Amino acid sequence: MTESDAIKREWLVTWKVGVEDEIAYTLFYIVGDREPYESALSAVETMESYDITPVRDQAFYAFVRGRETEQSRQFYAAFEQPTLMVVPPVAYRPHGVVLFDVVGEPATLEQVRDALPDGITVNVRKIGEYDASPGTFDIGLTSRQREALAAGREVGYYDVPRNGSVEDVAEELGCAPSTASNHLRKAQARLVERVFR
């Protein structure tokens, strides 16, 4: 679905795998058009059931219940280590890219890389002390402002020192640099207001 123009962004918020029924219970937050998403979801062979809950301005939650595949079992099992935690949300990007943070010991993380199923490759983008603040989807940003922040993070706009530019963000969003700059400024102002409220 991340290849579709109908879907702007998709995050896996949380998940649970049933030990007895081998059903994966997943909660997604999606920014985009609900109808194509639901149509694609209903066509998935392993689908058991799902519920869609609209929340705002082209955003909705999808609570999905699907049968596990051998690949998904192996993927989940790779991260089931006592000293390892995947920190949600998990961000889905075009071309099969999935971005997420993992907290744990380096040796355990190496074991995960070796245990992943065939066809899945790993690119470690950053290593260090984990210092991200817990977040929420309900912070008063428009979907476009949220997209701008996510694009900025992805292209290195918020790296220190900065590696990405407003032009890079604009290219990710498919808009003019002045529009991207406007989205970023408004989103940043909202976040600063929330921090000091």
Side-chain angles (χ1 to χ4, degrees):
M1 283 305 298
T2 54
E3 304 298 328
S4 167
D5 290 337
I7 303 304
K8 305 301 181 198
R9 290 283 190 249
E10 182 176 7
W11 293 270
L12 175 59
V13 180
T14 190
W15 62 92
K16 182 175 79 171
V17 178
V19 176
E20 295 177 6
D21 59 9
E22 295 188 345
I23 299 291
Y25 300 85
T26 50
L27 179 65
F28 293 92
Y29 182 84
I30 302 103
V31 176
D33 191 347
R34 173 183 166 177
E35 287 183 17
Y37 186 88
E38 193 167 355
S39 176
L41 200 57
S42 63
V44 175
E45 288 183 21
T46 57
M47 181 61 55
E48 289 290 316
S49 62
Y50 62 86
D51 294 298
I52 304 288
T53 305
V55 286
R56 70 174 56 82
D57 185 28
Q58 282 206 324
F60 55 94
Y61 281 100
F63 179 55
V64 179
R65 296 164 291 280
R67 294 185 308 278
E68 281 196 276
T69 64
E70 183 56 40
Q71 187 180 45
S72 69
R73 267 193 293 277
Q74 193 175 345
F75 181 81
Y76 287 126
F79 289 94
E80 289 177 1
Q81 307 291 334
T83 61
L84 198 67
M85 292 184 160
V86 176
V87 183
V90 174
Y92 288 79
R93 297 291 185 260
H95 313 296
V97 174
V98 181
L99 303 175
F100 55 94
D101 293 336
V102 181
V103 176
E105 296 297 323
T108 308
L109 292 171
E110 283 300 320
Q111 292 171 7
V112 168
R113 291 178 73 159
D114 296 338
L116 288 171
D118 291 340
I120 295 179
T121 57
V122 176
N123 178 16
V124 177
R125 297 178 74 180
K126 186 176 179 183
I127 296 174
E129 294 297 319
Y130 189 72
D131 63 354
S133 300
T136 175
F137 291 113
D138 188 24
I139 56 175
L141 298 177
T142 67
S143 60
R144 198 62 170 158
Q145 289 168 355
R146 194 180 308 279
E147 287 177 54
L149 290 175
R153 183 172 184 252
E154 194 167 309
V155 302
Y157 183 77
Y158 295 108
D159 290 354
V160 178
R162 181 170 285 166
N163 292 312
S165 66
V166 170
E167 288 76 16
D168 295 328
V169 175
E171 187 175 333
E172 279 283 306
L173 295 176
C175 66
S178 59
T179 303
S181 177
N182 189 40
H183 289 314
L184 288 170
R185 281 197 319 274
K186 286 182 178 179
Q188 292 162 5
R190 182 72 183 110
L191 292 173
V192 169
E193 177 188 331
R194 184 177 177 84
V195 167
F196 291 101
R197 187 173 5 172

